[in-house]
Amino acid sequence: MSPVADSVACCTELFGLDREQRAAVAHGAPGQASPALLLIAGAGSGKTTTLAARVARLVLDGADAQRMLLLSFSRRAAQDLQRRVGAALHRALELPAAQAPPHLPWAGTFHSVAARLLREYAPRIGLAADFSVLDRGDAEDLLGLQRQALGLGDRRARFPLKGTCLAIHSRCVNSGEALGEVLRAQFPWCASHEAELRLLFQSYTAEKLRQHLLDFDDLLLWWAQLMDEPVLAASVGSRFDHLLVDEYQDTNRLQARIVRALKPDGRGVTAVGDDAQSIYSFRAAEVRNILDFPAQYPSPARVLGLTRNYRSTQPILDAANALMAQAAEGYSKRLWTDRASNWLPELVHVADESAQAAHVATQVLRQRELGMRLRQQAVLFRASQHSATLELELTRRGIPFVKFGGLRFLDTAHVKDLLSLLRWAANPRHRLAAFRVAQLLPGIGPAQARRLLDALQAAADPVQALREFQPPAAAREDWNALLALWLRLHARPPWPAPVELARAWYETQLPRLHDDAAARAADLRQLAHIAGSYGNAERFLTELTLDPPELGSDLAGPAHRDEDYLILSTMHSAKGQEWKAVYVLNAVDGCIPSDLACDDARQLDEERRLLYVAMTRAREHLELLVPQRFFVGQQARHGDAHVYALPSRFLDDAVRARMHEKTVADLRQPGAPPAAPCPADAPATDLASRVAARWD
C-alpha cells in the first residue's frame, strides 16, 4: 500500500469517512503541493469533518502544519475549524491524551489574517505599523464627520446619511465595481450625488491615512493591493504550501483575487463550498467565484462533490432537490441520505398572518408534548419584521423565545469607552477614540475636545502636545489623572496590565456616567478576562473589533429562567444551523422571493437558494406556511387594507408533489363557542328587491 493510501485509510477509520469524503481527503500526491481542488459540499454533508481529515492526511504525509493557511468567514467558524482540525491531528498523530491538540498558527478569518500580514509588511507598503482597526460604528462616525465638514448635509436636496454612505463605500470596495455602477444598481436614489460621494470618499480615505486607521473593508483592499506587487505577492505566497478556504461561495471579488494571487498556479489550494448556499450578495459575495473556480488556473481544478446528507430525512431532501432543479446553472448534485421517513414536509395554507402565528404556536407546543424540546425547533423568515405577529402570539401563550439579533457587546457605551482609551493610547492620532475619551471627563464637552484634537493634529509630536494641553479649570484635576494614565498605557506595560489599568480608572467614572454601574462593571471584568487570552494589545483590539461577542448589559433583559425556549431567526442567520423541526413563515411571492428581487434574474436565483438553505435546516419536520390574506408594505397601516397572496413561485409542481399540502382552520380563538345558527322562526325578508330598488 502506498504512503497516501496508508494515510487515507487511517483517516477513513478514524473519522468514519464515506466514499465521497475519502476521495476528497485522498486528492493529491504526498510530498508535493497538489493541483487545485474544488469540493462542492451539499448541505449537511460533513464538510468540516472532511476538511479536518484532509489536513490530518496532509500532515501524515509530511506537510508542515505551520505552512498551512486556513481561511473562513467568521471568527466563530474559524475557531470551530481550528478546534476540529486540532482534534483530528491529535487523533491521527496518536498524541498523548494529556498533550494539547496541535495549533495551526495561520487559521482565521480573511480579515484577521489580513490584519496580521499588513502589520508585518506595513513599512514596505506605506502603512503605519501602529494602525488601528475601526469597527462599523466608528467607521460610520468618521465618515459622518467628513460629511459634516464638507457641508454635504446642509444642502436643500436630501443627501444620504452616514450609514448609507458607508454601505455605498463598502459595496464599491468589496465588489470592485465603479461608484456610478453601484449607485445605479444598488442605490438608485443616490445616483445624482455621485460627484459629492466621490469627494466624500476621498476625504474619508485621506482622514483614515492621516490618523493611521483602517476599516473592515480596508483590510481586504490593502491585502489585495499588496498581492498586486509581484515581489510582495511571492513573499506572502511562499509562506504557505497549502491554502484551504471554507465557504468559498461566500467570497467577494477581493477575496477571490487574494486567493488567486496567493497561489497563481492553484497548487495546494482546496476550496470548499456550495453554490446552492450562496446567499450573501448584499455583502458583495459573488456566486461566480465558485462557479468559475475550475477554469481560473492554468490546469483546471478537480471538482469533487459531497452529496450524502447526514442531517435531514429523504422526503425533506427530495423537496429541496426539486427546488434547486429549477436553477439555470450550478453544480449538479442530488442530496441523499439513509434516513428514510414516511413523513412528508408540509405546505400549510392559513387564512392570514394571525392564523399563521396561531398555527405555528400550536404546532410548537404539540411537538413539545411529543418530546421535542423548544430549542430543537426554529421559526425562520425572510425579513426580521415578518415575525412580529408570531412574537405577540408566543408571548400571549407564554412560549419563551430567543430571536437572533441585537446590539453587539462592542457597541455598548461602557465597552466602547474602555476600548477607545486603549486605542488612543496605542495610536495617539486616533481622533475618534480621543474625542470619545476626552468627553468622559466632567468639564470637557465637544468644543474642548475638538480643541484637544486640533492641537494633536497640528503637532509633530502628539505626545508632547498632549502634555502641554491646558484643559478648562474645572477639569484640570480629572485631566491630570487621565494624562498620567494615558502616559502609562502609551509606554506599553506588559500585557494585559493595560486593560486592568484602564478598567481601574474607568470604573471610578461609571457611577457618574451610568445608572446601572454594577452591571457595566461586570462587563468590564469579563472584558479584562478575555484580554488575558491574547498576546498583546494590537491583537486584542484588532480581533475583538473584527468579531466581538454578541450582547452586553446595555441590552440585557431579564435572565432566561425558563426550562427551554424557541428559536426565531432570519433565513440568513440560520445558515450553518440545524433543528429537528423548522417552520418557514410567509412562503409567498413578495416575501420569498422578496418583492425587491423580482425584477432581477440573479437576485431571484439567490432568493431560491435562500429558501433552499431554510428548508435544509430541518432534520425531521418541515412546514412552509402560506398566508392567503396578507398585509404587505405600507398597506398594513391602513386599517383592513390587504392583498391575497400567491404561494412562492419557487413552489412549483415538482416541489409541491413532494410535499403534503393542506389548509388549516383558524386557531386564533381555541375553545370559542360555535356561531349561533339562524333562528328557525326568523321572518323571511326580500333583500333582493331592496337591492334592486336602490337604483330606481
Side-chain angles (χ1 to χ4, degrees):
M1 186 178 290
S2 67
V4 67
D6 286 340
S7 58
V8 172
C10 173
C11 290
T12 299
E13 181 179 350
L14 285 174
F15 308 115
L17 305 178
D18 61 34
R19 176 181 56 81
E20 293 174 329
Q21 293 171 333
R22 189 164 59 250
V25 169
H27 171 72
Q32 56 182 310
S34 56
L37 169 66
L38 176 61
L39 184 59
I40 302 298
S45 61
K47 70 175 178 63
T48 306
T49 296
T50 307
L51 198 54
R54 176 159 176 77
V55 172
R57 180 242 130 178
L58 291 171
V59 172
L60 287 174
D61 285 341
D64 184 354
Q66 308 292 311
R67 294 178 56 79
M68 289 183 175
L69 175 58
L70 274 69
L71 295 173
S72 190
F73 283 83
S74 71
R75 183 164 174 79
R76 190 174 297 105
Q79 287 177 332
D80 182 57
L81 183 59
Q82 172 83 275
R83 178 183 59 79
R84 297 277 292 274
V85 168
L89 289 173
H90 197 281
R91 294 179 63 188
L93 297 174
E94 298 181 347
L95 300 177
Q99 183 173 335
H103 177 75
L104 272 68
W106 288 97
T109 65
F110 273 90
H111 292 86
S112 65
V113 170
R116 289 180 61 186
L117 288 171
L118 290 175
R119 289 200 191 278
E120 290 189 31
Y121 286 86
R124 301 182 62 181
I125 59 176
L127 181 64
D130 65 346
F131 68 82
S132 301
V133 180
L134 292 170
D135 63 37
R136 292 290 185 193
D138 283 346
E140 274 192 18
D141 289 343
L142 182 59
L143 196 55
L145 288 174
Q146 303 311 303
R147 178 182 180 276
Q148 184 181 34
L150 293 171
L152 296 175
D154 300 333
R155 306 190 175 201
R156 296 181 64 183
R158 178 177 61 139
F159 192 81
L161 296 174
K162 61 182 181 179
T164 303
C165 292
L166 183 63
I168 295 169
H169 179 274
S170 181
R171 182 80 190 192
C172 291
V173 172
N174 287 292
S175 69
E177 297 171 346
L179 174 58
E181 184 179 349
V182 167
L183 292 176
R184 286 189 293 273
Q186 305 293 331
F187 303 89
W189 72 270
C190 302
S192 62
H193 299 295
E194 180 178 350
E196 294 95 331
L197 285 167
R198 193 178 305 280
L199 179 64
L200 173 61
F201 296 156
Q202 290 170 353
S203 176
Y204 174 58
T205 300
E207 190 66 16
K208 285 185 293 182
L209 289 172
R210 195 179 60 74
Q211 295 188 42
H212 304 170
L213 303 174
L214 297 182
D215 62 27
F216 281 6
D217 304 318
D218 288 329
L219 292 172
L220 297 183
L221 179 63
W222 279 77
W223 188 9
Q225 293 190 342
L226 181 155
M227 299 303 292
D228 287 341
E229 298 298 320
V231 174
L232 298 180
S235 172
V236 177
S238 66
R239 291 169 171 249
F240 309 111
D241 297 326
H242 295 276
L243 169 59
L244 301 97
V245 187
D246 194 14
E247 303 287 6
Y248 194 77
Q249 79 279 349
D250 293 334
T251 53
N252 59 39
R253 291 177 181 173
L254 269 183
Q255 290 161 327
R257 177 173 144 198
I258 290 167
V259 170
R260 287 195 299 272
L262 283 166
K263 295 295 175 187
D265 62 359
R267 302 195 68 81
V269 176
T270 298
V272 182
D274 181 7
D275 57 301
Q277 297 186 69
S278 178
I279 59 173
Y280 293 120
S281 67
F282 66 93
R283 297 179 186 168
E286 176 54 71
V287 69
R288 294 241 58 94
N289 288 345
I290 193 168
L291 295 177
D292 299 339
F293 182 88
Q296 71 182 15
Y297 296 111
S299 298
R302 184 183 182 191
V303 181
L304 297 175
L306 301 181
T307 59
R308 181 178 180 180
N309 180 284
Y310 292 89
R311 175 188 300 153
S312 306
T313 62
Q314 190 61 53
I316 291 175
L317 296 180
D318 288 341
N321 287 332
L323 174 67
M324 287 312 299
Q326 303 168 9
E329 66 175 333
Y331 294 98
S332 177
K333 57 184 171 295
R334 178 187 173 276
L335 296 183
W336 65 277
T337 184
D338 54 10
R339 297 190 64 208
S341 174
N342 293 324
W343 185 88
L344 295 177
E346 294 186 333
L347 184 62
V348 182
H349 297 268
V350 293
D352 53 27
E353 290 180 279
S354 295
Q356 173 179 248
H359 171 76
V360 170
T362 298
Q363 288 295 95
V364 164
L365 292 177
R366 181 176 297 153
Q367 293 289 351
R368 178 176 176 271
E369 291 303 312
L370 293 174
M372 188 183 296
R373 302 188 67 184
L374 295 179
R375 275 180 290 182
Q376 295 174 319
Q377 305 180 64
V379 183
L380 307 183
F381 30 86
R382 175 62 180 85
S384 182
Q385 65 268 25
H386 291 174
S387 68
T389 304
L390 175 64
E391 292 175 45
L392 294 175
E393 182 70 10
L394 294 174
T395 301
R396 186 180 72 81
R397 297 207 194 184
I399 302 174
F401 63 89
V402 171
K403 185 175 180 179
F404 283 27
L407 276 179
R408 300 183 303 177
F409 182 75
L410 188 67
D411 295 325
T412 56
H414 52 300
V415 173
K416 285 184 74 72
D417 289 344
L418 190 69
L419 293 179
S420 293
L421 176 55
L422 294 172
R423 290 190 179 110
W424 184 25
N427 176 5
R429 296 193 183 276
H430 197 320
R431 284 179 67 90
L432 281 176
F435 188 66
R436 186 181 188 97
V437 173
Q439 292 181 87
L440 295 176
L441 302 183
I444 293 186
Q448 292 294 332
R450 287 195 180 90
R451 187 167 68 86
L452 169 64
L453 299 183
D454 292 342
L456 295 178
Q457 178 178 338
D461 181 359
V463 178
Q464 185 60 32
L466 198 62
R467 293 176 184 271
E468 296 173 355
F469 178 73
Q470 294 297 318
R476 186 165 293 120
E477 183 177 348
D478 291 299
W479 170 258
N480 289 337
L482 175 60
L483 176 61
L485 171 66
W486 190 96
L487 292 171
R488 289 187 67 186
L489 296 176
H490 187 64
R492 302 196 175 214
W495 187 258
V499 180
E500 289 297 342
L501 290 170
R503 185 172 70 88
W505 173 83
Y506 183 72
E507 285 189 3
T508 65
Q509 315 295 319
L510 269 176
R512 177 175 54 82
L513 297 170
H514 300 288
D515 293 334
D516 53 346
R520 294 173 188 264
D523 275 353
L524 299 180
R525 287 193 294 272
Q526 179 63 20
L527 187 68
H529 178 73
I530 293 172
S533 63
Y534 292 86
N536 54 57
E538 288 81 5
R539 188 168 183 185
F540 169 69
L541 292 171
T542 298
E543 296 200 13
L544 191 67
T545 299
L546 293 178
D547 192 22
E550 286 299 319
L551 296 174
S553 62
D554 267 4
L555 283 192
H560 285 292
R561 303 185 188 279
D562 296 283
E563 58 178 345
D564 207 359
Y565 48 84
L566 179 68
I567 303 297
L568 307 187
S569 173
T570 63
M571 295 177 183
H572 284 99
S573 296
K575 188 169 178 289
Q577 308 295 318
E578 62 180 71
W579 296 274
K580 282 189 175 181
V582 168
Y583 311 88
V584 179
L585 301 185
N586 299 340
V588 299
D589 251 36
C591 290
I592 182 73
S594 166
D595 53 0
L596 297 178
C598 292
D599 294 332
D600 187 302
R602 293 183 61 182
Q603 290 186 38
L604 271 178
D605 287 342
E606 179 160 324
E607 293 287 305
R608 182 188 299 108
R609 296 193 294 267
L610 187 57
L611 180 57
Y612 172 82
V613 166
M615 292 170 65
T616 54
R617 301 310 94 193
R619 294 171 58 189
E620 299 173 3
H621 184 92
L622 172 65
E623 290 190 23
L624 273 60
L625 284 299
V626 179
Q628 297 169 347
R629 185 174 182 264
F630 191 72
F631 292 98
V632 292
Q634 297 180 346
Q635 297 181 43
R637 301 178 184 174
H638 302 296
D640 198 39
H642 64 276
V643 297
Y644 281 97
L646 295 174
S648 169
R649 68 189 68 188
F650 301 140
L651 301 177
D652 63 9
D653 291 343
V655 175
R656 293 167 83 151
R658 290 160 175 81
M659 304 184 75
H660 173 59
E661 197 163 353
K662 67 180 184 182
T663 300
V664 299
D666 190 340
L667 300 176
R668 284 172 288 181
Q669 296 178 330
C678 178
D681 56 351
T685 303
D686 186 6
L687 294 183
S689 297
R690 292 189 197 174
V691 172
R694 184 174 183 273
W695 300 102
D696 291 345

